[in-house]
Amino acid sequence: QVQLVESGGGLVQPGESLTLSCAASGFTLGNYATTWFRQAPGQEREAVSCIATTTYYRDSVKGRFTISRDNEKNTVYLAINDPKPEDTAVYFCATGPSLCYEWLNSRMYSYWGKGTQVTVSA
């Protein structure tokens, strides 16, 4: 079966860091694009970052987040290196496309995790 499971969320303060994990089973993540999305209360779900053969970030997180993949662990990570209160949301990972082309479009993805909560507060 194909499954994605996020973990690593929690409370983080500005000036600290937090790393989210997206563990895959039933397929090899390295053969596909993986995108992190987030959704804040009352807001639309938005794409944050994508990794395939290269990486992409939405403008608001550039320089503050880092996406990476560990092929041995079949896991994609999202390091939130410089969290801001505006980053508070439920974070989801998703996959399906082979590349990050049109990665912002949530309809491109076949598989989704259940999400992990990130709260940024002093």
Side-chain angles (χ1 to χ4, degrees), residues 8-59:
L11 178 65
V12 63
Q13 297 180 348
E16 299 179 343
S17 63
L18 190 71
T19 299
L20 310 181
S21 299
C22 174
S25 60
F27 71 106
T28 300
L29 270 181
N31 293 333
Y32 302 92
T34 302
T35 297
W36 285 95
F37 290 80
R38 67 186 182 188
Q39 188 167 25
Q43 302 297 313
E44 296 286 332
R45 186 172 299 184
E46 64 180 13
V48 176
S49 182
C50 182
I51 183 169
T53 56
T54 187
T55 60
Y56 299 86
Y57 301 89
R58 71 179 301 111
D59 287 344

Side-chain angles (χ1 to χ4, degrees), residues 4 13 19 48 59 69-70 78 93 99 107:
L4 297 171
Q13 297 180 348
T19 299
V48 176
D59 287 344
R69 184 178 63 242
D70 185 332
L78 185 69
C93 62
L99 298 171
R107 290 172 290 185

Side-chain angles (χ1 to χ4, degrees), residues 33 35 37 50 94-97 103-112:
T35 297
F37 290 80
C50 182
T95 192
W103 66 279
L104 298 172
N105 187 353
S106 64
R107 290 172 290 185
M108 298 293 293
Y109 301 89
S110 300
Y111 303 102
W112 294 78

